[in-house]
Amino acid sequence: MRKRRPRMRSGGAGRERRAGGILGGILEILGNFGVNPAGFGVPMAELHLIGQIESGCGFSERRLFCKWGLHAGAGWTLLAGAGAGQTHLDEPQAGEAAQWGHPLDLHLGTRGLQGWPRLLLEVWHVDTWGRRGLAGYGVCAVPSAPGCHRVTVVTWRPRGTRRQRLLGPGGPELRDPLGTATAATERFRLRTESAGTVRLRLGVVARHMARFGVAL
Amino acid sequence: MTSTANSPLSTARTGSPRRYQHCPHPVTLSPPLSLSPAPGSPSPAHPGSPQGLEEGISQITSKSSVSPTTLVWNFPIDITFKSTNPFGWPQIVLSVYGPDFFGHDVVRGYGAVHVPFVPGRHKRTIAMFVPESTSRLQQLTSWFTGRRPEFTDPRVVARGEGREVTRVRSQGFVTVTFNVMTKDLHKLGYDVGQGPQGLHQA
């Protein structure tokens, strides 16, 4: 009697499920081309971030735009979508909040949970002369639970000396906002004041997290 | 996986009093409703084949004595999308037009929102904005002639690229209600969390 061929284990080439066959094959090809350098065909867990940067309010000025960037640890790979961008400049006529409605659509792959992605937001204002000044920095972690979330990010800006506050449209800016705002260890010398809030609607779709034993 | 959206209700709240508005109403797909063969360069290899009307124009509506701040369209939407990758999830793009002081039809607002991916009933309020020119002289002449800045392709509102050079004025909101159903998301391994009615997605 012939021995049955043992089934391939899930740590193998990702072909163990027919339903995910095409995508598993593509991930394997991506792995062969270096997108997944840790091993050939090891399937990655994936995260989709689908949402919008909706509005910003409570700042001292009204004409605002927002620069955003997604930052994650070394184990995360941006598979599709733009990782950074800038909204349009809005001057609100209805209400007090600057409305951006900037769409976010990102596809991330990961082999580990360390360095969960964070969004760094920089809100800038433009005065009637066209000069740009800083309105606030804010950081928020991408929500981990799958589903649709309304996130309110509170922002802050560096509080300069009295002379700096009188001159110039925005006051002092950080030389390295990524290193200072997103790291937890670099802030103790900084004096800041509170600024307004940014509202986002972030939708999270996760894939294959349960396969790695991760409960979201 | 397929997802279906039905939307029986859409209303608008405007920030400044206007008499009547109509709303050419394209439901557009942001470009990559497709597989992404290489990171950073999505190309529409297999565009999803939606069923149902992708674009529509509503009736012309005006405010009334019983509803002095709200314009009601009550425009139905019924559309089905199909894909194997949530990247490029469909968005609905709205453009609102209305007459100005001289009777020219001018754009009153653009806005876009993602169709929700969690099954259930959802209400979304979309902020509408109008592009404005940076030159004061052009703002004055366009007020007279009725030729205001417009997007040549309203679908740019659904994309994030190229918006940093745009100056806009936001003036109003449109409300859309979605009923969303999905099929085979879990078969492909996707987890979208709980619906608003608390149905647990196993």
Side-chain angles (χ1 to χ4, degrees), chain B:
Chain B
M1 62 189 170
T2 57
S3 95
T4 307
N6 301 326
S7 160
L9 187 67
S10 50
T11 60
R13 250 188 309 127
T14 55
S16 52
R18 299 270 176 246
R19 283 297 299 164
Y20 53 92
Q21 319 269 352
H22 72 272
C23 175
H25 187 91
V27 176
T28 56
L29 315 172
S30 49
L33 188 69
S34 62
L35 300 172
S36 300
S41 60
S43 62
H46 300 285
S49 51
Q51 289 165 8
L53 281 178
E54 280 182 58
E55 292 196 356
I57 300 186
S58 75
Q59 76 276 22
I60 301 179
T61 187
S62 35
K63 296 176 195 171
S64 66
S65 52
V66 300
S67 164
T69 55
T70 306
L71 297 152
V72 173
W73 289 300
N74 194 216
F75 189 79
I77 305 169
D78 196 335
I79 189 162
T80 305
F81 297 98
K82 192 163 80 163
S83 176
T84 53
N85 189 348
F87 180 71
W89 195 266
Q91 300 185 48
I92 177 168
V93 173
L94 300 172
S95 331
V96 179
Y97 295 87
D100 67 353
F101 179 75
F102 297 103
H104 305 120
D105 226 13
V106 296
V107 64
R108 288 293 179 206
Y110 296 102
V113 76
H114 284 282
V115 172
F117 51 77
V118 182
R121 187 180 167 92
H122 307 268
K123 192 168 176 182
R124 293 285 183 260
T125 305
I126 313 169
M128 308 296 281
F129 56 84
V130 172
E132 68 171 11
S133 53
T134 48
S135 132
R136 298 256 186 204
L137 181 64
Q138 192 175 11
Q139 285 175 15
L140 189 66
T141 54
S142 66
W143 187 79
F144 279 111
T145 60
R147 282 199 273 272
R148 309 230 179 144
E150 290 182 25
F151 290 125
T152 51
D153 180 11
R155 283 184 276 193
V156 73
V157 169
R159 290 193 276 270
E161 299 92 43
R163 294 195 26 171
E164 58 264 16
V165 296
T166 328
R167 257 178 225 231
V168 303
R169 273 191 340 261
S170 57
Q171 46 183 42
F173 301 89
V174 174
T175 316
V176 183
T177 310
F178 292 96
N179 296 298
V180 178
M181 293 153 267
T182 60
K183 180 176 184 290
D184 291 343
L185 267 180
H186 299 286
K187 225 191 248 186
L188 291 175
Y190 290 102
D191 181 8
V192 294
Q194 292 195 0
Q197 284 86 14
L199 295 171
H200 181 61
Q201 306 296 317

